[in-house]
Structures are given as C-alpha cells and as structure tokens.
C-alpha cells in the first residue's frame, strides 16, 4: 500500500473515531426530548396497536429495552442503525459492480454526514431508513442475480418500513417502474413474492387501524395534510439542500454524470437512475401538499450518496471531508444548544425537558396519593418517563392521543388526580383551569415555579368519568377521528367512543 493511501486511511479512521466520540458526548449533553420520550414510552408499554403511530418503532423499543430502558441506550441503538445503513450503502456499491474501496468511501461519506449527525435522538426516522436502505440492497441483488428469495425479503423490508411510516411508497414505487420497463418477464413473479413479504405487515396495520378508530390513517393522511402550494415545494427543496449538505449537492451531480458514463456499472444506468432519483421526484409531488421537513432527509437522504460510486478516489475523499466538516458544524450547534438550553428556552412546557425532576418532586410533595396528569403530550411524555405514568387527560388536539387507548378512563372514576397546568404557555391552546375543575367533585389550585416559569397543580378530587366521556372524549373523537374520514370509509371499532 502506498504511503499516501495509508495516511489517508489513518485519517479516515481518526475522523470516524472523532465523530463517534463527539456524538456519544452529545447523547449526554442533549436532554431527552418530548417526541423521543413519547416514542420510548410507547415501546416500554407494548401493545398490539397505537393511536397515532404504526407499531414497528415501539416494538423495536420494547425489544431493545431488554438491555436497558435508558434513553442513552436507545440513542446508542440509533447510531448502530445508522452504521448499518452505511453497510447497506457499501453492499449496494458492490452489487452495482464497484470495488471495495470506492464503495467503502461512499459509505464513509454517509456515516460521517449530516444524517448521522442529526440523528442524536432516537426517533422513527432512524428506524425507517434502516429498512429502506437494506430493501434497496435486496432489490438490486434480485435484479442482478434473480434470486427469488430476495424479492420476498424486499417486500418484507418494505412492510417493516411501512409499519414505521407510510412514506415508504416513494421508495417502493420505483421498484415497480423498473420491473415494468426493464424486467417485464419477471414482473409477475416479483410482484407475487414482494406482495407475500409485504402484505402481512399491511394487513396487521389495517386491522390495528380498524380496531382503533382508523387513527393512524386519520392522523397521518387526513389531519396532517396541508394546503396545496408551490411555495411548499420551494421551501422543501431549500430545507432538503440545507440539511443534506448543500456543498455535497455538487458532488451528487458530478457523481450522476460519472455513473452515467461508467463502464463498471453491472446494472443498466437507467435502472439505477430510477431507483436512486425517482423517490425524490415523488417527494417533490408530496411537497406540493406538505412541506418536507428536516427529518425526511434522514428518511431518504441516504439514497443520494449512492450516486457517488463512480467518482475517483480523490473526489470521494473530498466528499468524506466535506461531510465530516458539515457534521462538525451541526455538532457545535447541538453542543451550544444543549449547554445553554435554559437560556435559550422561551416556552414553559420545555422546562420539563431541562429539569423534569423538579416537577416529579412537586407532585410528590404537594399531591401524595394523587394520580398524575398533564394537558399536552410534550410534558405528559417527558414526565411519564421521568416520574412514572403521567396521563394525558385534557388535550383537545390530534397530536399525542395515544392515552385514549392506553388509559382505562372508566377505572379513573372517583379517583383523585393532580393535573399539571402550564399557566404561562401561550403556544398551545389548552383547556382553562376552571373547565378542568368541572370534571372533579371538588378541586384546588396550588401555584409553584420552576426556573423562570410559573406553573400550577390542579388537585382534583373525585374524577367524574361520565362527564369526561360525554363532554370531552366523544366531541374530541368526532372532531379529530370521525369527521375527517371520507364517507366511504367503513366504521371500525373505537374503544374511546364505545
């Protein structure tokens, strides 16, 4: 091995070590977030169905919780998943016909890149792109080697990704475009085997939706849909470019041109271009209705790195260095935000992120023997993780309604409940304290403060379940679950309304 190449390899290993160590440090600097706590809590109490998220991510949380239920451990798992995506990128390069070195360098550019840097917390977006990346590997192996078991595995991986997020379609549709135009004799067999792998996951999801008010579909398809606007597209493109690394876009364009002219490519270039680029065309179509946000870059951005395989070694090394430098900027921003979170925070409910123990202590001192409740999923999730179960009782919003399934409200009838009131939080529409008090036989309010914000506990005695069901649950069910559904949707089971 030439000395220059040996030196470069040592530099790469050093950059990888610096990246991993810095990211591990950030695990402890960045406090547990509301969304992260919410998703971890779902998995720590595993069920067949959840109201606003498909099952796969919570089930994985449950699986990994056998090692530890610490959020630091789950963040480590997330990083291991990102490294597994890097391995999938390497395998894709080898299947396309490229040697170990360029395939490894492209994988390194991804591993040291923004997707890994941004995935400090353990959320859905890390899980889905693991399944999608390996789905592409098995699809490429199928069209290259015609191993029919690979079609079955591709379908199963697509199904697993579907149980994380429904946007898996933007990666799956290109498979069938490729089969229809370039591998038509194998189309029927591929479709049957792919469907055999996919359908068990789809059927599971549909049945769980049917048994839970169609809530996943209502939440993700109807309630979250925005208004069509070309401005959404422009905003989405800018967001995607900034997050994926704007300098690397130049390398992606060069890589596309080099891939088109490459003599080493074992699969027709048009096929590769469809698999790698059509997903982003479909994302542009989706962005007309819903602006693409940064987490979607983690979902799909890994695909762009596969455009780099045909670039010369020196260019790939530059791409690796640029990826690392951009990630360092992200890490520096995270470090500053994590160390100055109290100073930067201007929203009272986020105080539960920075000092959750203070709220746990207040409940312990002021409401011994009371059950705990909050009025929005951010603080309910955080405090459930840190203080034991905190119910989400009075939130009239389509976000975070999982407690409608997880909590037996009928069993709360007559119980004493201490409800945390965010008296200074104007960012979220909340039920007024006097309305909440009306659901109890009697109540009192105790004021307290944490940090620079004021809060209160509503100490409610004798919870009135019938009134809660009549005046809150049923109107909320009709507003956020029943009414958004089209008339042709079959009415499924809905425990919250029955």
């Amino acid at each position: 091995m030439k000395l220059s190449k040996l030196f470069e390899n040592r530099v790469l290993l050093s950059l990888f070590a610096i990246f991993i160590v810095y990211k591990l440090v950030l695990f402890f600097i960045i406090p547990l977030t509301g969304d992260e706590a919410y998703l971890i809590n779902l998995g720590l109490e595993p069920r067949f169905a959840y109201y606003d998220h498909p099952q796969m991510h919570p089930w994985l949380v449950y699986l990994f919780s056998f090692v530890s239920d610490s959020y630091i451990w789950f963040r480590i798992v997330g990083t291991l998943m990102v490294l597994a995506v890097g391995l999938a990128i390497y395998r894709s390069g080898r299947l396309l016909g490229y040697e170990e070195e360029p395939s490894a360098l492209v994988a390194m550019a991804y591993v040291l890149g923004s997707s890994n840097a941004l995935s400090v917390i353990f959320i859905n977006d890390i899980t889905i792109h693991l399944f999608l990346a390996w789905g592409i590997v098995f699809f490429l192996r199928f069209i290259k080697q015609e191993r029919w078991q690979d079609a079955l595995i591709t379908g199963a991986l697509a199904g697993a990704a579907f149980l994380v997020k429904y946007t898996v379609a933007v990666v799956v549709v290109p498979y069938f475009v490729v089969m229809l135009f370039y591998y038509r004799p194998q189309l029927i067999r591929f479709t049957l085997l792919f469907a055999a792998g996919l359908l068990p996951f789809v059927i599971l999801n549909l049945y769980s939706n049917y048994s839970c008010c169609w809530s996943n579909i209502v939440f993700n398809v109807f309630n979250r849909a925005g208004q069509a606007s070309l401005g959404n597209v422009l905003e989405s493109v800018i967001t995607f470019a900034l997050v994926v690394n704007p300098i690397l876009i130049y390398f992606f364009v060069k890589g596309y041109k080099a891939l088109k002219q490459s003599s080493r490519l074992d699969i027709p270039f048009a096929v590769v271009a469809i698999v790698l680029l059509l997903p982003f065309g479909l994302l542009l179509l989706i962005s007309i209705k819903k602006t693409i946000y940064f987490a979607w870059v983690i979902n799909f951005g890994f695909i762009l790195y596969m455009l780099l395989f045909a670039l010369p070694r020196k260019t790939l090394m530059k791409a690796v260095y640029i990826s690392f430098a951009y990630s360092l900027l992200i890490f520096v921003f995270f470090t500053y935000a994590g160390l100055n979170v109290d100073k930067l925070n201007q929203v009272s409910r986020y105080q539960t992120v920075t000092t959750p123990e203070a709220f746990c202590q207040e409940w312990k001192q002021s409401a011994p023997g009371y059950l705990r409740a909050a009025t929005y999923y951010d603080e309910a999730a955080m405090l459930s993780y840190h203080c034991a179960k905190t119910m989400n009782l009075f939130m009239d919003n389509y976000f975070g309604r999982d407690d409608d399934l997880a909590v037996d409200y009928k069993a709360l009838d007559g119980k004493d409940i201490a409800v945390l009131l965010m008296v200074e939080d104007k960012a979220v529409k909340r039920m007024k304290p006097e309305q909440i008090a009306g659901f109890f036989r009697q109540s009192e309010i105790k004021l307290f403060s944490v940090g620079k914000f004021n809060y209160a506990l509503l100490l409610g005695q004798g919870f009135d379940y019938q009134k809660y069901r009549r005046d809150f649950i049923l109107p909320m069910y009709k507003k956020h679950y029943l009414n958004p559904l089209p008339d042709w949707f079959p009415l499924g089971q809905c425990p919250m309304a029955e």
Side-chain angles (χ1 to χ4, degrees):
M1 182 182 292
K2 293 182 180 179
L3 288 177
S4 60
K5 187 176 291 189
L6 181 63
F7 174 77
E8 287 180 340
N9 288 340
R10 287 180 175 176
V11 169
L12 288 175
L13 289 174
S14 298
L15 295 182
F16 178 76
I18 293 170
F19 185 100
I20 293 299
V21 170
Y22 201 159
K23 190 174 183 183
L24 287 172
V25 171
L26 283 175
F27 288 168
F28 294 90
I29 292 177
I30 304 297
L32 180 69
T33 66
D35 283 346
E36 189 182 15
Y38 184 73
L39 289 166
I40 289 175
N41 289 338
L42 295 185
L44 294 179
E45 296 182 0
R47 300 191 304 278
F48 172 66
Y50 303 89
Y51 265 110
D52 53 2
H53 284 80
Q55 300 95 325
M56 184 57 69
H57 186 84
W59 286 353
L60 288 175
V61 167
Y62 176 68
L63 177 65
F64 292 122
S65 71
F66 282 96
V67 176
S68 172
D69 61 2
S70 167
Y71 70 91
I72 301 295
W73 161 241
F74 290 116
R75 290 175 174 181
I76 292 172
V77 169
T79 293
L80 293 175
M81 287 183 173
V82 175
L83 296 181
V85 174
L87 180 59
I89 291 173
Y90 169 81
R91 290 297 306 146
S92 295
R94 301 291 285 139
L95 285 168
L96 290 175
Y98 293 95
E99 296 177 353
E100 290 183 1
E101 186 176 56
S103 299
L105 285 175
V106 172
M108 185 64 78
Y110 163 78
V111 166
L112 298 180
S114 58
S115 290
N116 197 355
L118 288 166
S119 59
V120 174
I121 63 175
F122 185 48
I123 51 176
N124 278 339
D125 307 285
I126 302 173
T127 306
I128 188 173
H129 85 292
L130 172 67
F131 294 126
L132 294 177
W134 280 98
I136 290 175
V137 170
F138 283 97
F139 178 71
L140 292 176
R141 196 165 78 171
F142 166 76
I143 61 177
K144 184 177 181 179
Q145 301 175 5
E146 294 189 14
R147 291 164 34 127
W148 298 107
Q149 61 267 38
D150 290 337
L152 183 68
I153 295 172
T154 303
L157 288 168
F162 178 76
L163 283 190
V164 182
K165 285 190 175 183
Y166 299 142
T167 47
V168 62
V170 303
V171 174
V172 170
V173 168
Y175 297 164
F176 288 91
V177 174
V178 164
M179 297 304 301
L180 180 63
F181 288 99
Y182 295 94
Y183 299 93
R184 194 169 297 172
Q186 294 92 354
L187 175 61
I188 293 177
R189 290 183 69 185
F190 173 80
T191 302
L192 291 175
L193 287 163
F194 181 92
L198 173 73
L199 283 177
F201 296 92
V202 174
I203 292 170
L204 173 64
N205 181 268
L206 289 176
Y207 179 73
S208 65
N209 262 283
Y210 172 81
S211 63
C212 297
C213 320
W214 295 108
S215 55
N216 285 175
I217 291 175
V218 172
F219 176 73
N220 290 289
V221 178
F222 298 106
N223 285 345
R224 301 186 79 180
Q227 297 295 320
S229 169
L230 291 179
N232 292 345
V233 178
L234 178 60
E235 185 178 344
S236 297
V237 170
I238 293 172
T239 299
F240 207 96
L242 287 175
V243 176
V244 80
N245 188 335
I247 302 174
L248 275 186
I249 292 174
Y250 167 75
F251 288 84
F252 295 147
V253 173
K254 283 191 68 173
Y256 171 83
K257 294 177 180 178
L259 206 60
K260 188 175 183 179
Q261 299 169 357
S262 177
S263 59
R264 293 187 177 182
L265 200 58
D266 285 349
I267 295 173
F269 170 76
V271 170
V272 177
I274 290 171
V275 172
L276 300 186
L277 294 180
L278 182 55
F280 299 99
L282 297 174
L283 280 176
L284 282 177
L285 288 177
I286 293 174
S287 70
I288 294 175
K289 282 283 288 180
K290 180 175 177 59
T291 303
I292 304 303
Y293 61 109
F294 84 93
W296 286 35
V297 183
I298 300 175
N299 293 351
F300 306 107
F302 72 92
I303 301 174
L304 290 174
Y305 288 85
M306 299 184 195
L307 294 169
L308 304 177
F309 290 122
L311 290 175
R313 176 184 170 85
K314 286 187 177 180
T315 307
L316 285 176
M317 290 297 295
K318 290 179 182 177
V320 171
Y321 297 149
I322 290 169
S323 281
F324 178 77
Y326 200 68
S327 292
L328 276 188
L329 291 177
I330 294 172
F331 282 167
V332 169
F333 172 79
F334 281 167
T335 302
Y336 176 79
L339 294 177
N340 295 276
V341 64
D342 281 323
K343 181 180 178 181
L344 296 172
N345 179 30
Q346 299 300 319
V347 180
S348 62
R349 73 176 181 275
Y350 294 147
Q351 189 71 37
T352 61
V353 173
T354 60
T355 55
E357 298 82 4
F359 295 88
C360 304
Q361 187 63 27
E362 185 64 34
W363 261 316
K364 185 177 181 180
Q365 291 179 351
S366 300
Y370 281 68
L371 300 176
R372 296 166 178 171
T375 61
Y376 195 67
Y377 85 100
D378 264 1
E379 62 262 23
M382 286 296 306
L383 298 174
S384 282
Y385 182 88
H386 289 287
C387 312
K389 180 64 180 176
T390 301
M391 297 172 294
N392 189 350
L393 274 181
F394 300 100
M395 189 184 78
D396 182 12
N397 189 292
Y398 64 90
F399 287 109
R401 292 299 319 186
D402 189 72
D403 278 5
D404 298 330
L405 177 62
V407 176
D408 181 5
Y409 291 121
K410 189 174 183 179
L412 300 181
D413 193 40
K415 300 290 186 180
D416 298 339
I417 304 174
V419 184
L420 175 64
L421 302 178
M422 296 283 171
V423 294
E424 294 184 357
D425 185 8
K426 307 302 181 186
V428 174
K429 183 181 178 182
R430 297 173 185 266
M431 185 179 288
K432 295 179 180 179
E434 55 268 28
Q435 292 176 289
I436 295 175
F439 292 98
F440 295 93
R441 184 177 66 253
Q442 62 182 37
S443 64
E444 61 176 307
I445 291 180
K446 183 180 186 303
L447 300 175
F448 68 99
S449 62
V450 177
K452 57 188 174 184
F453 301 108
N454 295 314
Y455 304 89
L457 284 181
L458 187 147
L459 305 178
Q461 299 174 6
F463 179 67
D464 188 342
Y465 163 73
Q466 292 298 336
K467 178 177 174 58
Y468 183 74
R469 182 179 186 277
R470 181 184 68 247
D471 296 348
F472 185 82
I473 285 287
L474 292 181
M476 185 274 303
Y477 158 66
K478 292 176 182 178
K479 178 181 178 182
H480 297 305
Y481 292 90
L482 186 61
N483 290 343
L485 284 174
D487 294 335
W488 51 267
F489 247 80
L491 288 178
Q493 301 169 2
C494 195
M496 63 186 286
E498 294 170 356

